[in-house]
Amino acid sequence: MATASRSGRRGGSEDEDDRTAAMRRLRVLSLHLQDPSSSSEGGLALAACAAGRRRATGGADAAAALAAYMRGRHRDTQARVFEFFLSRPDLQTPVEMSTAAHRELCFRQLCALVREAGVRPLSLMANDPAEYFAVMEAAGGADISLGVKLGVQYSLWGGSIINLGTKKHRDRFFDGIDNLDYPGCFAMTELHHGSNVQALQTTATFDPVTDEFIINTPNDGAIKWWIGNAALHGKFATVFARLILPLQGKGGDPADMGIHAFIVPIRDLETNAVLPGIEINDCGHKIGLNGVDNGALRFRSVRIPRDNLLNRFGDVSRDGKYTSSLPTINKRFAATLGELVGGRVGIAYSSVGILKVSVTIAVRYALLRQQFGPPKKPEISVLDYQSHQHKLMPMLASSYAFHFATRYLVDKYSEMKKTNDEDVMADVHVLSSGLKAYITSYTAKSISVCRESCGGHGYAAVNRFGALRNDHDIFQTFEGDNTVLLQQVAGDLLKQYQEKFKGGTLSATWNYLRDSMGTYLSQPNPVTSRWEGEDHLRDPNFQLDAFRYRTSRLLHSVAARLQKHSKTLGGFGAWNRCLNHLLTLAESHIESVILAKFIEAVKRCPDEKTRELLKLVCDLYALDRIWKDIGTYRNVDYVAPNKAKAIHKLADYLSYQVRLVAQELVDAFDLPDLIIRAPIGMQSEAYAQYTQHVGF
């Protein structure tokens, strides 16, 4: 190319220089534009969208049919929430506002939703958890701070009364929580302890003389911290503290009965004044979620009636005797935390909603935005560039995969609440931990990718990526740090692994290990490891077998490593030595569950065309994940080199195919403009709305 340029200069031809520069640019762009299915050299595969967002024939019908299948049983409830906020501009969150104003607005939004729109979230949670989570998602769509504040009031404060209390507590508090007469908090986290709940230091010492518990913060490390609703609006708090019984330990020492939950009034119901013995301070401005008033609580010998102990799993009689149906502190602790999984279910479910909003904005803008193109031809949509498809199309596919996985999680949680089946409870505990950790981590990374994919316009606050990223970021931490939750998944897998070799039965979510572990213990088939045909690679049996084989291999190998290292390092040291391996195992298992639920959803779809569309998206999700971890499969010859190359090529091609229906796929999320809000993410007149926003 340099020789050609020098020849042009010697000939003095400016036209030839221009042609050379144009060819150089075209060759670079062609690397991004090729249809991965094309075998022709340098061929450009351009989807027809130079005029903006144009649907394929029948696109609107396809989107409508897919949206109908995607809708949950409670879409009508969500629609009523959307319509309520659309009719109330005074309750819509502006782009810019102070922390104080945002908190005041968020509380007004919640009060209006309950008292004017007539939504009763606690009743929904008690009677139909799926409808409750639908309301939470809709409220979070209006403002993520509202969704979180609603969750604090109902999932946490209300949930503690329902799940940890008994009839006397429900009779006393249920209606007041439901109608917001009793705004409350969930005071678990302390300055020095968050994930390690068993190490909390706040104490609740029983006084047999007055028949009261004395709540006390023994040191600064025990100050309750990051407590939602505490800084301004909370009137009560469920306080997690160590239950201390005087003189009942060895040698007449106090007996520590472990962590229990207590109802502690913190403000006067009429004046809102902080009650004696309680100190509340504001945690201040945060990275995000500034509509939620997080506070810190210190207790100085605060007395509460004995009946304020939430006594479902442990009780203290008038004469100070402790009773429980569960024999040990560890079993009582596990039962207590097991009843609080609804918070994790709600976070996983809400995180998928935030991912859908982000992907919708990014995809619609990528269809609208035009940059460069072949010489003397119109500019093309940036979504026609292979590099852009590689960023967004697997993310769009993951949004669908997560949608069906969390729908399954909500159904399992609803089943758990109805049946109280111990096996289902154990299943939901681990499944909610894994999905919450995996989905929120994925969404956090994806929001940044979406922002980047929208260029400079993605940096405008009005286009929402900054607020979405900042508000969602803490989803990775509250209701269980993601790294800690993944360790719970890994620990349960190892427990199931041991049960298998003891001849025990495996719980429902893990029962695939029975077959795939047997497959792992045999050598990979040298024939199937080389199959590279499209029909084979798009066979859900191959895809699911690959996911499960990887999980089984990781499980077997980490079990062997733990056994080896425990001999010299002990149990804790061995776990820490293998920690990254354990986290990879947990993520692999959760990906297997997500894919399995996606495949089931595809098979259940009654409409043939919609089913074909979902199958395309599911195939992209599966093959993209296999390709991203291709080293694992290559290392054990599960996939031969030619097959790995075929997987890569097909994943690229499927990204291109999904791009052709990308508009239909994001439209099928059925998100109204009130929820999208970003001008660049509107279904029509995006640029016009954007320019109007800045004053043109």
Side-chain angles (χ1 to χ4, degrees):
M1 187 64 69
T3 301
S5 297
R6 286 195 296 272
S7 298
R9 285 195 292 272
R10 285 195 299 269
S13 170
E14 292 183 0
D15 288 342
E16 187 169 342
D17 279 346
D18 291 342
R19 285 194 299 273
T20 301
M23 286 301 296
R24 188 183 301 117
R25 171 61 68 91
L26 182 58
R27 287 179 182 178
V28 171
L29 292 179
S30 69
L31 296 176
H32 298 276
L33 289 166
Q34 280 199 323
D35 176 351
S37 69
S38 174
S39 60
S40 61
E41 290 289 332
L44 298 177
L46 307 181
C49 62
R53 298 173 185 155
R54 287 213 296 258
R55 289 187 185 275
T57 302
D61 292 340
L66 182 54
Y69 182 62
M70 294 277 285
R71 287 190 189 106
R73 291 183 291 116
H74 303 296
R75 181 61 180 184
D76 289 345
T77 300
Q78 290 186 316
R80 288 195 296 273
V81 173
F82 297 152
E83 290 166 5
F84 174 73
F85 282 106
L86 185 62
S87 70
R88 293 288 302 275
D90 61 306
L91 296 177
Q92 295 172 18
T93 305
V95 175
E96 299 180 61
M97 65 189 317
S98 68
T99 296
H102 197 177
R103 288 174 170 183
E104 190 274 333
L105 173 62
C106 193
F107 191 56
R108 283 200 297 116
Q109 289 172 331
L110 182 58
C111 290
L113 183 65
V114 171
R115 295 170 178 170
E116 298 177 37
V119 176
R120 286 292 181 267
L122 196 63
S123 296
L124 294 178
M125 190 173 74
N127 299 320
D128 189 349
E131 187 170 8
Y132 168 75
F133 290 124
V135 168
M136 177 186 282
E137 182 187 28
D143 186 331
I144 300 176
S145 285
L146 172 60
V148 171
K149 195 169 181 73
L150 184 149
V152 170
Q153 172 70 12
Y154 297 105
S155 295
L156 299 182
W157 158 230
S160 67
I161 300 299
I162 291 175
N163 298 315
L164 303 181
T166 50
K167 183 177 184 298
K168 63 183 178 183
H169 301 110
R170 291 189 287 273
D171 289 346
R172 179 180 168 192
F173 288 100
F174 190 99
D175 290 342
I177 294 172
D178 209 12
N179 64 23
L180 273 180
D181 285 345
Y182 294 163
C185 317
F186 185 82
M188 177 181 281
T189 298
E190 295 177 357
L191 179 61
H192 283 185
H193 290 94
S195 298
N196 188 5
V197 177
Q198 278 188 298
L200 296 178
Q201 299 176 63
T202 301
T203 58
T205 304
F206 181 63
D207 182 348
V209 176
T210 62
D211 196 26
E212 294 172 318
F213 285 102
I214 304 169
I215 310 298
N216 197 52
T217 302
N219 54 63
D220 285 355
I223 295 172
K224 296 296 183 181
W225 210 273
W226 291 126
I227 308 306
N229 278 358
L232 293 175
H233 302 128
K235 305 292 181 66
F236 296 88
T238 295
V239 176
F240 287 79
R242 317 193 73 81
L243 195 162
I244 307 298
L245 296 177
L247 305 176
Q248 295 194 25
K250 291 183 179 179
D253 289 337
D256 183 343
M257 308 309 295
I259 302 299
H260 290 65
F262 302 83
I263 301 169
V264 181
I266 61 173
R267 285 188 176 89
D268 186 275
L269 285 173
E270 300 299 327
T271 67
N272 207 44
V274 176
L275 295 175
I278 296 171
E279 181 182 355
I280 303 178
N281 285 293
D282 197 323
C283 288
H285 187 78
K286 307 183 294 291
I287 289 174
L289 293 180
N290 281 300
V292 182
D293 52 310
N294 294 87
L297 300 169
R298 185 200 295 272
F299 303 97
R300 291 187 171 92
S301 299
V302 176
R303 291 179 173 269
I304 59 172
R306 178 170 54 89
D307 277 351
N308 281 25
L309 166 65
L310 293 173
N311 61 339
R312 178 178 173 189
F313 298 115
D315 202 2
V316 176
S317 64
R318 177 64 186 86
D319 60 358
K321 299 297 183 183
Y322 184 84
T323 56
S324 174
S325 59
L326 301 171
T328 67
I329 287 177
N330 285 341
K331 286 187 178 295
R332 292 193 292 271
F333 177 75
T336 297
L337 291 195
E339 283 298 325
L340 302 175
V341 298
R344 289 200 293 270
V345 175
I347 289 172
Y349 193 81
S350 298
S351 184
V352 178
I354 294 168
L355 179 61
K356 289 176 183 176
V357 171
S358 302
V359 171
T360 298
I361 296 169
V363 167
R364 284 179 176 167
Y365 179 73
L367 289 165
L368 174 72
R369 184 73 165 179
Q370 298 160 26
Q371 295 290 297
F372 308 112
K376 299 181 181 179
K377 290 189 177 181
E379 290 186 304
I380 66 167
S381 160
V382 296
L383 198 53
D384 286 322
Y385 290 93
Q386 188 186 67
S387 55
H388 220 71
Q389 295 166 13
H390 183 72
K391 286 180 183 178
L392 296 182
M393 296 303 96
M395 193 188 301
L396 177 55
S398 295
S399 302
Y400 272 81
F402 299 166
H403 171 90
F404 293 114
T406 52
R407 182 72 60 79
Y408 169 75
L409 174 61
V410 168
D411 288 344
K412 291 293 287 185
Y413 179 79
S414 299
E415 178 187 350
M416 180 193 83
K417 300 305 292 182
K418 289 178 181 177
T419 65
N420 291 315
D421 183 278
E422 289 187 2
D423 290 337
V424 177
M425 290 175 68
D427 212 18
V428 169
H429 171 69
V430 179
L431 190 61
S432 64
S433 297
L435 286 173
K436 183 269 184 186
Y438 187 89
I439 290 172
T440 58
S441 293
Y442 184 95
T443 297
K445 296 180 180 73
S446 297
I447 295 170
S448 291
V449 173
C450 288
R451 203 294 305 157
E452 179 190 347
S453 73
C454 292
H457 295 316
Y459 198 62
V462 70
N463 288 322
R464 301 208 56 208
F465 290 118
L468 290 169
R469 179 186 59 207
N470 292 348
D471 285 347
H472 176 274
D473 196 62
I474 194 62
F475 280 42
Q476 300 173 92
T477 303
F478 62 17
E479 291 299 306
D481 174 86
N482 284 357
T483 301
V484 174
L485 294 181
L486 288 174
Q487 289 180 72
Q488 292 181 13
V489 176
D492 196 76
L493 282 165
L494 286 163
K495 178 183 175 183
Q496 298 288 340
Y497 179 78
Q498 291 175 334
E499 288 295 320
K500 172 183 166 51
F501 288 103
K502 291 178 181 177
T505 59
L506 278 71
S507 62
T509 301
W510 321 134
N511 59 15
Y512 73 82
L513 290 171
R514 192 181 301 111
D515 299 325
S516 56
M517 184 56 67
T519 303
Y520 166 71
L521 293 174
S522 63
Q523 292 298 313
N525 187 316
V527 176
T528 57
S529 69
R530 288 169 171 77
W531 285 353
E532 57 184 277
E534 182 176 336
D535 288 346
H536 168 67
L537 298 181
R538 297 186 68 174
D539 184 343
N541 293 321
F542 158 70
Q543 296 164 2
L544 202 50
D545 284 348
F547 275 49
R548 290 173 168 178
Y549 178 88
R550 177 186 56 172
T551 303
S552 297
R553 170 181 165 76
L554 288 165
L555 178 56
H556 184 76
S557 57
V558 81
R561 287 187 66 205
L562 286 168
Q563 185 177 32
K564 171 187 172 183
H565 290 305
S566 63
K567 295 175 182 177
T568 55
L569 300 176
F572 182 85
W575 187 271
N576 195 32
R577 175 67 66 87
C578 300
L579 187 51
N580 289 335
H581 193 158
L582 290 160
L583 298 177
T584 303
L585 164 65
E587 290 176 340
S588 175
H589 169 67
I590 292 302
E591 287 179 349
S592 298
V593 173
I594 291 169
L595 178 60
K597 298 309 161 189
F598 201 171
I599 290 170
E600 290 174 10
V602 173
K603 291 179 178 178
R604 285 197 309 269
C605 183
D607 179 73
E608 182 179 357
K609 290 184 178 179
T610 304
R611 188 167 60 249
E612 290 174 358
L613 182 56
L614 281 174
K615 177 68 166 60
L616 169 66
V617 178
C618 185
D619 288 343
L620 174 58
Y621 172 76
L623 293 176
D624 178 73
R625 288 305 313 137
I626 292 173
W627 172 249
K628 281 183 167 60
D629 200 20
I630 199 67
T632 296
Y633 297 104
R634 285 289 302 116
N635 286 341
V636 295
D637 291 327
Y638 189 83
V639 169
N642 65 313
K643 187 170 188 174
K645 183 178 180 180
I647 289 170
H648 188 197
K649 184 177 180 180
L650 183 55
D652 280 348
Y653 177 63
L654 294 177
S655 284
Y656 169 75
Q657 291 294 314
V658 169
R659 176 263 168 271
L660 296 177
V661 289
Q663 181 172 341
E664 287 73 21
L665 290 170
V666 296
D667 287 354
F669 290 148
D670 202 19
L671 299 173
D673 288 348
L674 172 74
I675 303 305
I676 299 298
R677 293 201 291 284
I680 62 171
M682 293 294 103
Q683 292 193 39
S684 61
E685 303 297 332
Y687 278 140
Q689 293 194 43
Y690 195 18
T691 54
Q692 288 171 15
H693 174 78
V694 301
F696 289 100

